[in-house]
Amino acid sequence: VGKSNNAEGGRFLLPLGAVWMYNVLSSTMSSQSDRPLSASSRNDEHDRNMADILSHALQLLLQLETAPNGTSYTVSINNGTKLYHITNMCLFPEKILSNDLIGSSLEILFKHLSGTECNSTSDSSLVKDFIKACFEHSRLSQEPTKRKEDEKDSTETQLYNMLTGEQSASSAYSKDELKALDDFIDDLCNSYIEYGGQYPTFTNFIRLFLRHDFPAKTITAVLTKLHPILHVLTIEEEDKQSLVFSLTQSISGGLPSLDSSRRDPSSVLDSFSTSLKKRDKELSRNDYVYLLAIAVLGRNLASSSQRCDCGLQAMKNRLSGVSSIVFYDITQAAEKFLRSGGGTKDSLISCVFDICMGSPKGLNSALNTGSWDEAITSLKSVKHTI
């Protein structure tokens, strides 16, 4: 289905809406059948029909997306919108997600739309378009205009964000847009906990919400909801290039004083520090969330050591209660990052890899001698070398 070439250019030949093909992936399907079959047979037939429809829709979209120079239909829709609709596939029953054809097609589409396939860094429009599509697809977009009380709440929230330093991506969205996103993520996390953690493709979709362009509340919600199983966000046998790309998308920048990147909101820093403590199952040093947490906290510790004591005090309180090895990794990553001189995001990730995934030789003796005052003194000594 394309667009007409007549004088009324821009009108679709069929009245299906701009994203009608992607809506197939984000729809619900009734399990009822008019045929006089047993309940078990009816369910089996329904599952087969659902899998057949979805697999064919995915394959068709995949052909359109990967066609040379794209197609008029796919290029007219932004990637954020398309990414939102394919994310809905994770909410279908496990029988759908476990289908090999569906799983492989979904993985290729995710990599294509998220930038993983070509290792291209996405801009903030991807997340903005994702959230907009989420809201438009939700029941909230169908409700009447909210009363002035809601507008007052929104104004008070923005004022609070300004006073507490939480004025990040969340201020760019309405209250209803954030509510729709919260509901969507809650449903995804519930499905991930129930069965999705065993599928790497689902894991990639969950990691998507740890990208720094998402509102701080979104990042903290995912880390909090999945706290008991954060180790599951590690994909076995993931190649280093994919791992580095995923980390790059989730880290907001290098050293702010050198690349003018923003510092992370305190709520995000608190959530990452919490993810490293109070756990029934400790994260391994090569786990995805562990590497990301060390990078985010190490970056902000390095920045605070070069700026003001108030930031250092906040980091000291934040790191209270972490294990000695976590404290070591954060402080060493921060110092190595400062000494690298570049202050870039790539340099930060490289430093974290060297610290957390390098040789453990001499680690135990280093842990026994480390302290906060010693670490900060060492960090401040790097000030004149960057």
Side-chain angles (χ1 to χ4, degrees):
V1 179
K3 293 184 177 179
S4 63
N5 294 319
N6 57 23
E8 298 178 359
R11 179 175 61 84
F12 281 94
L13 294 178
L14 295 178
L16 297 174
V19 295
W20 69 275
M21 289 184 66
Y22 293 92
N23 275 333
V24 174
L25 308 180
S26 55
S27 302
T28 55
M29 299 184 183
S30 172
S31 61
Q32 296 180 354
S33 173
D34 295 331
R35 301 180 61 184
L37 302 174
S38 66
S40 177
S41 298
R42 213 162 42 235
N43 289 335
D44 289 342
E45 183 184 31
H46 170 257
D47 291 340
R48 286 194 299 271
N49 291 338
M50 184 189 298
D52 191 51
I53 292 171
L54 293 172
S55 63
H56 280 83
L58 279 171
Q59 290 177 70
L60 178 56
L61 285 171
L62 193 55
Q63 291 179 27
L64 294 175
E65 287 289 347
T66 56
N69 301 320
T71 63
S72 60
Y73 175 68
T74 56
V75 298
S76 67
I77 307 170
N78 60 69
N79 283 352
T81 295
K82 292 184 281 192
L83 193 57
Y84 164 74
H85 285 285
I86 71 168
T87 303
N88 277 266
M89 289 285 295
C90 297
L91 297 177
F92 280 104
E94 184 179 1
K95 288 183 178 180
I96 298 300
L97 201 60
S98 63
N99 182 289
D100 291 338
L101 184 57
I102 290 177
S104 59
S105 300
L106 192 59
E107 181 180 4
I108 296 173
L109 266 178
F110 173 83
K111 290 181 177 180
H112 178 75
L113 297 175
S114 64
T116 308
E117 183 180 60
C118 54
N119 200 31
S120 61
T121 303
S122 61
D123 56 33
S124 59
S125 64
L126 181 78
V127 171
K128 291 179 180 178
D129 292 333
F130 185 104
I131 296 175
K132 182 179 179 180
C134 178
F135 168 69
E136 291 177 346
H137 186 242
S138 73
R139 61 178 176 78
L140 294 174
S141 65
Q142 308 302 322
E143 294 181 355
T145 304
K146 297 298 182 180
R147 299 187 304 271
K148 290 186 177 181
E149 287 77 1
D150 289 334
E151 297 177 0
K152 179 181 178 181
D153 290 342
S154 177
T155 302
E156 290 177 349
T157 300
Q158 292 182 25
L159 178 59
Y160 172 80
N161 289 340
M162 293 176 63
L163 294 175
T164 59
E166 298 292 309
Q167 191 181 16
S168 57
S170 60
S171 60
Y173 306 106
S174 70
K175 182 179 179 180
D176 283 347
E177 286 175 328
L178 294 176
K179 178 63 167 61
L181 181 63
D182 290 345
D183 292 343
F184 182 59
I185 290 174
D186 189 61
D187 289 341
L188 281 173
C189 287
N190 287 335
S191 294
Y192 189 75
I193 293 170
E194 183 178 353
Y195 62 82
Q198 61 188 304
Y199 302 105
T201 300
F202 202 154
T203 296
N204 277 322
F205 279 107
I206 292 295
R207 283 186 185 180
L208 176 71
F209 298 106
L210 296 180
R211 290 194 177 192
H212 68 88
D213 285 326
F214 273 99
K217 186 180 179 182
T218 300
I219 300 172
T220 58
V222 172
L223 292 174
T224 301
K225 184 82 174 182
L226 301 181
H227 182 80
I229 61 166
L230 287 175
H231 58 283
V232 181
L233 290 179
T234 302
I235 299 176
E236 293 186 11
E237 299 181 1
E238 180 177 21
D239 62 89
K240 185 175 181 180
Q241 182 178 353
S242 297
L243 175 59
V244 169
F245 178 79
S246 184
L247 290 171
T248 300
Q249 297 299 299
S250 296
I251 298 171
S252 57
L255 198 63
S257 60
L258 295 182
D259 66 0
S260 300
S261 57
R262 65 175 176 82
R263 301 188 69 189
D264 295 297
S266 59
S267 60
V268 171
L269 298 175
D270 291 341
S271 293
F272 274 116
S273 65
T274 300
S275 71
L276 298 175
K277 52 189 175 183
K278 302 176 183 178
R279 299 182 52 80
D280 293 331
K281 179 177 175 56
E282 294 295 328
L283 291 173
S284 300
R285 295 176 78 210
N286 61 350
D287 275 333
Y288 176 78
V289 172
Y290 188 93
L291 294 172
L292 179 56
I294 296 300
V296 171
L297 294 170
R299 168 183 181 263
N300 281 270
L301 177 60
S303 176
S304 295
S305 70
Q306 305 298 299
R307 295 183 61 182
C308 61
D309 290 336
C310 59
L312 287 176
Q313 184 59 46
M315 284 298 297
K316 180 178 182 179
N317 296 337
R318 192 170 286 124
L319 299 183
S320 175
V322 301
S323 67
S324 56
I325 191 169
V326 169
F327 177 79
Y328 172 85
D329 285 345
I330 293 173
T331 55
Q332 289 299 303
E335 182 172 347
K336 191 175 183 69
F337 178 45
L338 287 175
R339 292 189 183 282
S340 69
T344 65
K345 190 188 301 188
D346 290 341
S347 175
L348 172 62
I349 294 175
S350 177
C351 293
V352 171
F353 272 41
D354 289 344
I355 296 297
C356 298
M357 303 179 74
S359 172
K361 183 179 180 181
L363 178 60
N364 289 334
S365 60
L367 293 176
N368 293 330
T369 59
S371 72
W372 174 260
D373 291 338
E374 292 173 349
I376 298 307
T377 299
S378 183
L379 286 171
K380 288 186 173 182
S381 71
V382 191
K383 184 173 183 179
H384 299 293
T385 66
I386 60 174

